Amino acid sequence: MGKQGVNVGIIGFGTVGTGTARILLENAGVIAKRAGFPVVLKKIADRDITRDRGIPVPEGILTAHADDVLNDPDIDIVVELVGGIHPAKDFILQAIANGKHVVTANKALLATEGADIFAAADQKGVEVCFEAAVAGGIPIIKVLREGLIANNMVSIFGIINGTSNYILTKMTAEKAEFADVLKEAQALGYAEADPTFDIEGIDTAHKLTILASLAYGIPLSFDAVYKEGITKITSEDIAFATELGYKIKLLAITRAVDGQVELRVHPTMVPNDYLISKIDGVFNAIYVEGDAVGATLYYGRGAGDMPTGSAVVADIVDTARTILHGGKRSSGISGSGSAYTIRQMGDVESMYYFRFSALDQPGTLSKISGILGKYNISIASVIQKGRSASSSVPLVVLTHTAKEKDVANAIAEIDAMPVVADKTLVLRVEGKE
Ligand code: HSE
């Protein structure tokens, strides 16, 4: 008679480790009923095994040594929830070398060093699952790998960092400034250990790297992602966006254009009538368009112990099915062979919002519009607010579709003009022309 169930070992008993353990223990009955076999939490390793996590941990399963999980011959699946690059990568490679399947929530590791990990797993014939690495509880990896397998992907637009969405939502609702809201987000525990990852678009880029690889078969290409965070957005920009009928959202965007794939993370003005503009607070949402299915949208909690634990446990059960019933699944992450190349950011086309800090003098607008015209950037509308003989006033311009490299050249030239007092704030704008 073959195996009747699977044994799981967790490394990392922090927020997500605790959520995962809680679900495995409290929902063991429903999981076993649905899966048709028991999933047993055999060990949990963490450097700190004394702190009370608020869950009843069965006697004898806690250990301070990761090796007790990695080298336990009875453990079938190692769940890496340590985060960061090292020692997380070493734990995963050791688990693979020991013939164990791996479940991880480690987006930074997979986005930057995933090629080594998937190569090692393929060689050893084990699975590395990562549903929890992108958008927490939303099963977006399963969507791309299984649910939408029939489609050529047209585009993906995601709000996949709860912290920056929380900050932008609060700035919009309360007309608050960035720095004040960031402090609040940190106090509430939403931000990553290093908040730079959240607010500079790095965490979003890690997740986009994984989504784009699944969607377009390109290698994990974190370095090629254009990354721009939300730190430069002011309450004034939010007020202009509101007046113009937009929300500002930090979007992860990947889309296919002429055999190339765009990979970009930046704050974006999204029209109020787009569903994704209504995703507020710490929630995540991902819009996925496929050539067969058309537009689809996924919404939920992208962080936190229980939502992320929900995704980790789903991976554990899927992997357990592989162990018990055979049929190893492909990771969906391939190192080569994609039909697509990556589009240089300079070649990307978009509509734009410019907020110039211009001196309120005759001829200023014509000088600015002259430079925009020279670079083939067509103006859609202009707003000027305020009046000042001595200092600068905000001059807002919305454009028709233009090319990124033309915009960069035009703005560099405009910012060098004596009538322009400060660096121009540039935002990309989504919507119909
Ligand atoms: N810091 C991340 C966020 C956590 O704010 O979404 C989940 O990856």
Side-chain angles (χ1 to χ4, degrees):
M1 194 148 148
K3 271 172 85 71
Q4 300 293 302
V6 291
N7 292 321
V8 175
I10 295 175
I11 306 178
F13 201 20
T15 304
V16 180
T18 304
T20 301
R22 184 192 288 278
I23 296 168
L24 284 175
L25 296 168
E26 291 182 357
N27 294 0
V30 72
I31 293 167
K33 192 152 182 268
R34 291 212 185 104
F37 50 80
V39 175
V40 178
L41 179 54
K42 180 119 192 291
K43 281 197 179 115
I44 305 174
D46 195 279
R47 275 185 301 210
D48 175 0
I49 55 169
T50 54
R51 184 166 59 87
D52 181 11
R53 269 78 170 184
I55 56 169
V57 180
E59 192 87 9
I61 75 167
L62 279 177
T63 169
H65 307 288
D67 276 345
D68 290 345
V69 171
L70 295 167
N71 298 330
D72 182 335
D74 289 340
I75 287 181
D76 308 288
I77 302 171
V78 170
V79 182
E80 181 277 309
L81 298 174
V82 176
I85 307 302
H86 291 288
K89 182 177 180 185
D90 314 284
F91 292 156
I92 290 178
L93 290 178
Q94 193 183 331
I96 292 169
N98 288 351
K100 300 183 189 309
H101 299 270
V102 172
V103 173
T104 178
N106 197 331
K107 59 239 162 161
L109 176 60
L110 292 184
T112 57
E113 314 246 341
D116 295 347
I117 291 169
F118 291 112
D122 279 347
Q123 210 180 5
K124 197 75 187 176
V126 294
E127 293 189 355
V128 173
C129 298
F130 48 92
E131 183 64 70
V134 183
I138 306 172
I140 191 65
I141 304 299
K142 211 175 187 63
V143 164
L144 292 178
R145 204 159 54 181
E146 298 175 28
L148 299 185
I149 194 168
N151 291 259
N152 288 301
M153 291 304 165
V154 176
S155 61
I156 299 178
F157 291 76
I159 294 175
I160 47 179
N161 181 268
T163 304
S164 39
N165 201 48
Y166 172 85
I167 292 173
L168 291 171
T169 303
K170 273 258 173 183
M171 286 176 72
T172 306
E174 297 174 8
K175 303 186 171 41
E177 287 302 340
F178 171 79
D180 301 323
V181 186
L182 170 62
K183 274 193 213 118
E184 242 179 87
Q186 282 176 299
L188 287 167
Y190 296 145
E192 291 289 298
D194 178 355
T196 322
F197 275 31
D198 293 304
I199 60 181
E200 297 292 4
I202 297 164
D203 178 72
T204 305
H206 286 145
K207 295 164 180 167
L208 177 67
T209 300
I210 295 169
L211 294 182
S213 184
L214 291 173
Y216 295 110
I218 56 172
L220 293 160
S221 308
F222 174 74
D223 290 340
V225 178
Y226 173 81
K227 306 166 193 86
E228 190 183 304
I230 60 169
T231 56
K232 289 190 226 85
I233 309 286
T234 65
S235 57
E236 190 171 45
D237 298 307
I238 302 228
F240 277 121
T242 305
E243 185 177 332
L244 292 161
Y246 294 87
K247 293 270 177 51
I248 299 179
K249 295 288 178 193
L250 181 65
L251 290 192
I253 301 175
T254 180
R255 80 172 138 204
V257 182
D258 300 334
Q260 295 188 315
V261 175
E262 295 178 2
L263 291 177
R264 48 194 175 108
V265 171
H266 49 70
T268 311
M269 285 186 22
V270 184
N272 280 341
D273 59 354
Y274 279 31
L275 278 176
I276 209 158
S277 81
K278 303 182 198 312
I279 309 305
D280 284 336
V282 293
F283 279 87
N284 284 198
I286 303 136
Y287 167 96
V288 183
E289 189 177 337
D291 64 349
V293 73
T296 63
L297 186 67
Y298 310 88
Y299 169 79
R301 289 187 187 276
D305 55 350
M306 299 299 273
T308 313
S310 163
V312 170
V313 173
D315 270 349
I316 291 171
V317 173
D318 275 349
T319 308
R321 286 199 180 103
T322 302
I323 293 168
L324 296 174
H325 306 315
K328 177 184 170 305
R329 296 163 303 157
S330 152
S331 67
I333 304 282
S334 69
S336 59
S338 173
Y340 298 94
T341 54
I342 296 168
R343 196 173 191 87
Q344 296 298 309
M345 190 60 190
D347 293 330
V348 165
E349 293 188 350
S350 175
M351 296 181 290
Y352 293 84
Y353 158 103
F354 304 137
R355 176 174 48 78
F356 300 108
S357 301
L359 291 185
D360 193 5
Q361 290 171 356
T364 297
L365 181 58
S366 85
K367 281 182 198 139
I368 289 175
S369 62
I371 294 174
L372 294 178
K374 184 172 110 184
Y375 286 100
N376 220 12
I377 301 164
S378 170
I379 294 175
S381 61
V382 180
I383 313 177
Q384 188 190 314
K385 286 276 168 72
R387 177 93 175 88
S388 169
S390 51
S391 62
S392 63
V393 291
L395 174 69
V396 166
V397 169
L398 288 181
T399 76
H400 293 296
T401 298
K403 209 172 225 184
E404 186 76 21
K405 63 177 147 216
D406 291 331
V407 167
N409 287 331
I411 297 301
E413 207 167 302
I414 290 169
D415 283 356
M417 289 186 345
V419 289
V420 172
D422 214 343
K423 264 178 85 80
T424 299
L425 194 284
V426 176
L427 291 173
R428 294 156 194 89
V429 180
E430 280 300 321
K432 312 265 173 300
E433 282 255 23

